[in-house]
Amino acid sequence: MLQLPCPYCGPRDELEFSCGGEAHISRPLAHNKISDADFGEYLFLRDNPKGVFLERWRHASGCRRWFNVVRDTVSHDILEVYAMGRKPRSSAGKNAYNNSWRRTSAAEAAAVNK
Amino acid sequence: MSSQRYRLSGGTTIRTDTPLSFTFDGKSYHGYKGDTLASALIAAGVHLIGRSFKYHRPRGIMSAGSEEPNALVRVGTGAYAEPNLKATQVELYDGLIATSQNRFPSLKYDVGSINSVMSQFLPAGFYYKTFMWPASFWMTYEHFIRNAAGLGKVASDPIDPERYEKTHRHCEILIAGGGGAGLMAAYQAALSGQRVMLVDEQAEFGGWLLSDDAVKIDNMPAYDWVREMQSLLSNMDNVTLLPRTTMFGYGDHNYITLAERVTDHLSPRPSHLPRMRLWKVRVAQVILATGCIERPLVFGGNDLPGVMLASAVQSYITQYGALPGSRAIIVTNNDTAYQAALAFQNAGGFVRAIVDTRTTVKGAWVKAAKDAGIDILSGHGLTGAYGIHHVGRVEISPITADGREITGEAVHMDCDLVMMSGGLTPTVHLHSQARGKLVWDEKHLCFKPGATHEAEQSIGACNGSFALSSGLAEAIRAATKAVKSTGGTCTALSVPDVTALRINYAPMAYWKAPSQAGAGQGPKAFVDFQNDVTSADIQLAVREGYQSVEHVKRYTTTGMATDQGKTSNMNALGILADALGHEIPDVGTTTFRMPYTPTSMGMIAGRDIGGLFDAVRLTRMDSWHRAAGAKFEHVGQWMRAWYYRHDGETMEQAVTREVLAARTTAGLLDASTLGKIDVRGKDAATFLDRIYTNKFSSLAVGKCRYGLMLKDDGMVMDDGVTTRLADEHYHMTTTTGGAAGVLDWMEEWLQTEWPELDVFLTSVTEQWSVATLSGPHARAILEAADISVDLSDTAFPFMSMKQGYVSGLPARIFRISFTGELSYEINVPARYGVALWTALMKAGEAFGITPYGTEAMHVLRAEKGFIIVGQETDGTVTPLDLGMNWIVSKKKPDFIGKRALERTSMADPKRKQLVGLRTDNPDDVIPEGAHAVLDPNQPPPIDMLGHVTSSYASPNLGYSIAMALLKGGHKLIGETVWIPMLDGQKPIKAVVTDTVFYDAQGDRLNGTSSS
């Protein structure tokens, strides 16, 4: 069982948390018109890398707060945790963030008011 | 009563002042405190313990530890019986009752041993090959196979009467294995003051040192050193010593699971203690000192009772004071067996000969054996062992230097004990579970720990360091390092002086004895004793084309028994490598998984069984419902009153009575379970506008509105009525089952996507008790219940909320309706639930008030065509599919699900849409889940239109009604469809209708009837 360092409560057993899947997916705003295919990417496409992954976790049986985790899916090493709305600061986390195909996707671009 | 004929005077763990009696297969025996069942049976001269898994061969005791593959017994009786326990691990207690397994009618005369005669027809993969075709026959075969194969039987009573506990712990350093290295590491680590746990699966700490009477540590006998270390450790407050505790699992991030056997060895068992305790420990640094396991040698007849591991014989003599035979043949490929031979001779046994597969033998132990007058046959192998229920004779042949060929005539020798040693296998299971790598040690012919993944270190024999002095040195180094890395300090101790004869441990590669007989002839040579896998099976698998060790393992089942191949894996690898012509490290190993030893499911469940398995939620009116004879149904964790059965009523009659009452007089429903969420904050209205498909910012204070929630894929996820209590304060209701999910869902959006919104969510489901009063007399009853609020239509219209008092109880009253009748949902602080309920029942008595349950509620809402999320919807249904376009705002710029509803596929006319069904025969009630078709006579496969989501006999309408999700359903209204039935029943004919069956104008909401 993993031990996750909740940024608000400290290290706790995995069973106190629930995993919310891939992090840094923004919701396209309805008034920014994008194609069905681009919207489908936001809705359905999730990465499942072997290696460093940016994930959202929630301390469900604790403070109930969401936060981001940089986790190596092979070694299960927790490389970094950081608050919602922030970006990773570790080099592994930054690489994973910047190298994600999502950074250039139409759905991400449609998530800001235009 | 049998005497202990083979009991010796000594025994490092035997307490001769505490005699114990026990029975095995109904016969009484004696032993002592400190015995295992195995050692007590050996002392009594009993060697036939059980029958094997597949061939029902007679089996005895091979080892002295948890690696035992043969001596599996059932202990206890009745509901307390536990099968497949290793006699070598069962601690003796007074009154122990043990029974042999897998034999009929008796251990000595077993019918199933015919399998042994038939064995040439039962090769590897036999079941796969034979019972493949026809597949339908498997059902027939399986019964016979299950009875013939297998081990012990579980207790017949399904309820385990034992109690089990779980406990959690954190510590800096945990050491698994309390032998010499483990004790040393624990003491070194404990000096730092850090929290240290030392666990060992045996009853006493000491490990191999309990069996070694030839070694001295700091000039004292090893056992005295063990006791001294133990007393030092037990006096330290920061140390937890756990004997009888197996570290069976090594999880991520050093999450360690321990199985402690608390009372299995006690008689009588103290009732205040659990039988076993599961420890879940998060550890900063783990030190593995799990020792090693001796390998058997693979020769024909090596499974006979009386063929034992040499180290086990030494343990029975030195630790338990029990002599396993009187005339022994020792067969070995290394030096370690010489010490066992001498121990046997010193204990009064006669060593017939040491058969050593190596051509040249030398060294201190060889000299000691020669000095003791023992015959040594070097360059020889044991090529067969013979006997009926016990070994009585062995065949010894001269062999080539590489051990593969026989070079001459065999000699035969009588004996009643064979002590074999095929070398030592480090117990790397836990290191491997922790995803550590293994490396091949060519000198010692074993895999040992390589790179680690978790924060763990292996020391001593499990690290391939078989000499005690190097184990102790590693212990000090590892403990000091572990202390340092957890932020502690300690001064390294000096390594104790070890005085022992030097062993130059370098076993010869001799994975399988050559045979005097031809291929397939002669006695079977077992590799995996518990699963009855022979060397011939492995060779056959290779001939049949299996190459990967993972495939050979599964095909032959070697290493797949409950012992996970502790004694067999290395021999199997050696034979496989030979057969493939590869080197062992190139063949690779299989993966070790938890548990290290079989672990009781009862312990893993702990107290989370029966009523404690899952929480049950009861409303505050629950006791009233029970007293009124209610039947209950589970809705999520809630128990809801399903219907109230009067004497002599069937369920159908009760539900009909309740449904009619709600439309003719008044019905009362316990609606407390409905999810309730308090939504507050400056941006509460904005937030709800985004969460719901319709608008809530425009809702006036004191007004209620029904809302539909979608996922962002446009599918319906929940619904409910939300009321505006104040400008920045809403009271949301959700479905009973969806409450927790809706709260989590809204929290997720607030925290992750819209953190700028000032909104606070609080679950208030359990703060309110809710009674729903519904029916034409609802208003009159509330007035009779002394309500403080003006109930007139103008003062208190439909879809509004008032605060006031009902029978003196403070209440929020919502005029909303799930029945279509004039209806009030009365919310009072939860603790007034029963008071409110009884007050309403009393006030309504004269008006014919009738409590109704969830079944009547379902019928009533279906008559009105109201959906239930989760019944009419299944995560693939949009509001448009439900015909609820009216609730989807066209004006709001955005809401969750809006974009998805605009996808072109959502407008597909072939989507399944919700419609009503009215059966041609008013008495036909369609089964829910049944499928509808247009043409029942179409040859299969028939085109399916969709399925029935709700179906009831409607007492108010006098006919059967149903709702269904049908492809293009909205266009089918007025058409006839058929619902084919199972088992040759005639299909049901029905007409597609609108979903509102009753009071389409909605007049009854005001308490007046249009008809």
Side-chain angles (χ1 to χ4, degrees), chain B residues 677 687 691 732 742-750 761:
Chain B
I677 299 168
F687 176 65
I691 288 288
M732 171 187 280
V742 169
L743 181 68
D744 286 347
W745 170 251
M746 296 198 296
E747 269 294 340
E748 180 177 347
W749 286 104
L750 276 178
L761 305 172

Side-chain angles (χ1 to χ4, degrees), chain B residues 13-26:
Chain B
T13 62
I14 294 295
R15 313 277 183 271
T16 47
D17 54 352
T18 314
L20 307 169
S21 62
F22 68 101
T23 68
F24 177 63
D25 277 348

Side-chain angles (χ1 to χ4, degrees), chain B residues 338-377:
Chain B
Y338 286 76
Q339 185 182 355
L342 283 163
F344 181 76
Q345 178 152 299
N346 293 338
F350 172 60
V351 177
R352 192 80 168 72
I354 296 177
V355 179
D356 197 319
T357 60
R358 298 172 295 181
T359 314
T360 45
V361 292
K362 56 179 192 289
W365 281 103
V366 176
K367 182 171 178 303
K370 277 183 182 155
D371 291 348
I374 295 175
D375 276 347
I376 299 171
L377 287 167

Side-chain angles (χ1 to χ4, degrees), chain B residues 385-409:
Chain B
Y386 302 89
I388 305 294
H389 290 135
H390 198 98
V391 64
R393 179 172 61 87
V394 293
E395 175 194 276
I396 297 162
S397 309
I399 55 173
T400 50
D402 65 2
R404 288 166 196 272
E405 308 289 338
I406 290 172
T407 56
E409 288 290 303

Side-chain angles (χ1 to χ4, degrees), chain A residues 1-4 12-15 20 25-31 33-36 39 42-44 56 58 64-66 74-78 84 111, chain B residues 168 170 251-255 280 282 435 453-454 712-713 740 743-744 747-749 751-754 893-900 902-905:
Chain A
M1 177 160 44
L2 304 182
Q3 190 181 48
L4 289 153
R12 294 289 190 279
D13 281 349
E14 180 184 350
L15 59 80
I25 303 173
S26 314
R27 180 174 179 272
L29 301 175
H31 65 262
K33 297 295 175 197
I34 55 173
S35 70
D36 279 2
F39 185 70
Y42 151 74
L43 207 50
F44 300 119
R56 304 180 314 150
R58 181 170 64 106
R64 299 180 64 89
R65 294 184 70 176
W66 284 88
V74 178
S75 69
H76 287 183
D77 288 340
I78 310 294
M84 275 294 147
Chain B
H168 293 258
H170 292 84
D252 284 317
H253 298 176
N254 273 0
Y255 187 74
K280 303 180 179 188
R282 186 72 76 172
R435 299 204 275 162
H453 178 73
E454 297 288 347
D712 224 356
D713 60 5
L743 181 68
D744 286 347
E747 269 294 340
E748 180 177 347
W749 286 104
Q751 288 187 34
T752 66
E753 198 68 22
W754 308 320
D894 202 355
F895 59 84
I896 295 175
K898 180 179 169 70
R899 173 64 184 83
E902 291 165 0
R903 290 165 62 204
T904 46
S905 59

